[in-house]
């Protein structure tokens, strides 16, 4: 099960934040293998002007992943 929400930043309306919550790491791993995720990932460079930051919270731990569009393109 995935819960998600998207909203603009309070201080900068040009910043869009996505929040996703997965029941388990396996659910996240399965999600990134879906066709709709791949389409979203492939189209994202057309909508982003700047850096992308991902913050992943795993139980009591967190990880920040910072990348730019060129790095995103090489991952698809």
């Amino acid at each position: 099960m995935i819960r998600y929400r998207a909203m603009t930043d309070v201080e900068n309306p040009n910043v869009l934040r996505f929040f996703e919550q997965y029941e388990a790491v396996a659910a996240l791993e399965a999600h990134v293998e879906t066709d709709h995720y791949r389409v979203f990932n492939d189209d994202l460079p057309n909508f982003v002007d700047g850096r992308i930051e991902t913050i992943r919270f795993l139980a009591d731990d967190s990880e920040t992943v910072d990348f730019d569009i060129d790095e995103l393109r090489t991952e698809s």
Side-chain angles (χ1 to χ4, degrees):
M1 179 176 180
I2 302 170
R3 294 185 181 119
Y4 62 92
R5 183 172 309 267
M7 61 187 70
T8 57
D9 186 84
V10 174
E11 295 178 6
N12 184 349
N14 293 316
V15 172
L16 181 63
R17 300 191 187 280
F18 286 94
F19 298 89
E20 296 181 334
Q21 180 181 6
Y22 298 87
E23 288 183 356
V25 172
L28 168 62
E29 292 169 348
H31 178 68
V32 301
E33 296 298 323
T34 61
D35 289 338
H36 70 271
Y37 181 88
R38 288 188 179 120
V39 168
F40 174 79
N41 194 55
D42 290 345
D43 286 344
L44 190 57
N46 298 320
F47 301 103
V48 175
D49 182 23
R51 302 226 15 110
I52 298 171
E53 179 183 71
T54 299
I55 300 173
R56 185 178 298 165
F57 295 94
L58 304 171
D60 295 328
D61 197 10
S62 68
E63 172 187 7
T64 298
V65 179
D66 190 45
F67 55 96
D68 65 27
I69 293 302
D70 291 333
E71 292 166 325
L72 178 66
R73 287 185 181 125
T74 62
E75 292 179 8
S76 33

